[in-house]
Amino acid sequence: MLLDTDPKIKNITAVQLVKVTYPLVIAKTEDGEFVKVTLSDDQLQDPLFWDTLKNIRKSQLWVPLGRHFHQLLSNDWLMPAAQ
């Protein structure tokens, strides 16, 4: 479970991928809710991306997902360093 109390991270939720079948990706949140992951056109056409998603699903890893647009985050759990 994501325990960071920084308000900037409230837009991120942890999910496990439960279905990876082109062109559909379904994820399950920590609360048990199922969401359809929104993918870009580049992601839809990238075979390496799909292989990676299948490996993530098989390994049952938790990955970050934006709450509002249901997009996978490319920067993982990292927040930009404060200046």
Side-chain angles (χ1 to χ4, degrees), residues 2-17:
L2 189 59
L3 297 176
D4 198 326
T5 56
D6 186 333
K8 290 178 275 190
I9 207 162
K10 298 291 185 194
N11 187 31
I12 300 171
T13 188
V15 298
Q16 282 185 317
L17 304 180

Side-chain angles (χ1 to χ4, degrees), residues 3-4 12-13 16 26 30 33-34 52 57 63 71 74:
L3 297 176
D4 198 326
I12 300 171
T13 188
Q16 282 185 317
I26 302 293
E30 292 176 303
E33 177 185 358
F34 291 92
T52 302
R57 183 193 55 78
V63 294
Q71 294 175 321
S74 62

Side-chain angles (χ1 to χ4, degrees), residues 18-83:
V18 294
K19 181 170 182 145
V20 178
T21 307
Y22 183 85
L24 181 67
V25 178
I26 302 293
K28 184 170 100 174
T29 67
E30 292 176 303
D31 297 331
E33 177 185 358
F34 291 92
V35 294
K36 180 181 173 193
V37 177
T38 304
L39 302 173
S40 70
D41 290 337
D42 289 339
Q43 291 170 330
L44 286 171
Q45 298 174 9
D46 185 352
L48 182 58
F49 175 78
W50 286 96
D51 286 342
T52 302
L53 288 184
K54 288 176 185 176
N55 288 332
I56 289 170
R57 183 193 55 78
K58 184 177 179 182
S59 300
Q60 297 182 333
L61 297 175
W62 290 90
V63 294
L65 185 80
R67 287 183 192 268
H68 187 66
F69 294 108
H70 296 150
Q71 294 175 321
L72 295 171
L73 303 180
S74 62
N75 59 352
D76 203 24
W77 302 110
L78 301 177
M79 295 296 294
Q83 302 265 334

